[in-house]
């Protein structure tokens, strides 16, 4: 008879479970949101899309379509703001994608961005790229300073977000007519190793009553999703919603629940989610909103910090 110690038994049992994202606290989406900033100008003047934090160097980057670009071009502008919303720098990216979500990763004092790249005819990136943020630089999709990755070979569109607390790359990809989520160690992904996702499942709630999908991020075991439309598109109805998903089961844990963050903003289109841990150790789930008039759109960031 083979005798296993309890520790060996636990290790063996864990190895037999295919998808395991370690347990973590979960945000309570029914609790209020707080302002980081409102009405800030980006380098270009279109609506903001996704945004990302380099949690090590404490930097913030916001994506938007480049001024004058068509939706199908995939031409983006990435603006770096400080945490009061002051402009610090920008990059232009040619032929990358829509910008719904992207990630940032520290490498020493430099920040590397993870974005979609190689926009298809609808303007969505087909795979991912990683490159150093360099203020004032324009990168084309064929630049040699990009490293490209296709996490799921059969995936036709890829975007990503970073769990900045647990250093994981969360990838949302299109396959077989639907959206899927896969989670990887950021260190493994950086080396191009996508062979062992911690989770890989079909995104639940593919459409919440026709509202537009607007962003996602993850903290530990839970994925967070954002939907909604501008007041212009919804006839003035506040329809922004958030939900959380247990990535070990692929099932919804909370929501969708209405979020009233920034309800008094003009226009108010939900745009992007990201995770950030403050120097004091408070973990924040951020949501972005575009406000203002065409030709002078503004960036607004809010966060939730209550855990269940
Ligand atoms: C993840 O799931 C997709 C199906 O949606 C599959 O094509 C892919 O091979 C899976 N990745 C791994 C590493 O198992």
């Amino acid at each position: 008879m083979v005798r296993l110690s309890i520790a060996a038994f636990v290790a063996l049992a864990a190895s037999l479970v295919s998808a395991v994202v370690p347990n973590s606290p979960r945000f309570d989406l029914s609790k209020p949101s707080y302002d980081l900033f409102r009405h800030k100008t980006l380098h270009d003047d279109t609506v903001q899309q996704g945004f990302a934090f380099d949690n090590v160097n404490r930097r913030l980057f916001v994506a938007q379509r480049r001024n004058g670009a068509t939706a199908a071009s995939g031409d983006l502008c990435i603006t770096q703001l400080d945490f009061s919303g002051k402009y610090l720098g920008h990059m232009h990216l040619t032929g990358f994608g829509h910008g719904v979500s992207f990630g940032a990763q520290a490498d020493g004092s430099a920040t590397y961005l993870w974005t979609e790249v190689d926009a298809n005819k609808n303007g969505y990136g087909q795979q991912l790229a990683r490159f150093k943020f360099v203020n004032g630089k324009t990168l084309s999709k064929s630049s040699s300073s990009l490293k490209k990755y296709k996490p799921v070979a059969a995936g036709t569109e890829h975007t990503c977000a970073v769990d900045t607390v647990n250093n994981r790359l969360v990838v949302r990809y299109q396959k077989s007519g639907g959206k899927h989520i896969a989670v990887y160690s950021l260190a493994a992904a950086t080396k191009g190793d996508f062979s062992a996702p911690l989770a890989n499942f079909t995104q639940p709630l593919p459409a919440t009553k026709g509202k537009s999908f607007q962003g996602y991020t993850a903290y530990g075991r839970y994925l967070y999703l954002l939907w909604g439309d501008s007041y212009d598109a919804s006839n003035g109805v506040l329809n922004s919603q958030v939900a959380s998903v247990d990535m070990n089961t692929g099932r919804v844990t909370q929501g969708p629940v209405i979020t009233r963050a920034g309800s008094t903003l003009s226009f108010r289109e939900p745009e992007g989610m990201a995770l950030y841990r403050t120097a004091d150790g408070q973990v924040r789930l951020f949501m972005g909103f575009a406000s203002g008039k065409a030709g002078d759109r503004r960036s607004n960031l809010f966060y939730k910090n209550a855990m269940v």
Side-chain angles (χ1 to χ4, degrees), residues 152 173 175 180 194-195 197 200:
V152 179
Y173 63 94
K175 185 175 178 285
H180 303 256
F194 297 95
S195 62
N200 186 16

Side-chain angles (χ1 to χ4, degrees), residues 2 10 21 25 42-43 56 68 80 122 125 150 170 195 202 207 216 274 284:
V2 179
V10 168
V21 187
L42 301 174
H43 181 271
V56 175
Q80 185 186 355
N122 298 318
K150 198 165 188 203
V170 185
S195 62
T202 303
Y216 64 99
R284 296 175 170 181

Side-chain angles (χ1 to χ4, degrees), residues 224-239:
Y224 297 90
L225 303 167
L226 173 70
W227 301 265
D229 303 295
S230 69
Y231 286 138
D232 291 19
S234 70
N235 286 320
V237 177
L238 185 148
N239 71 3

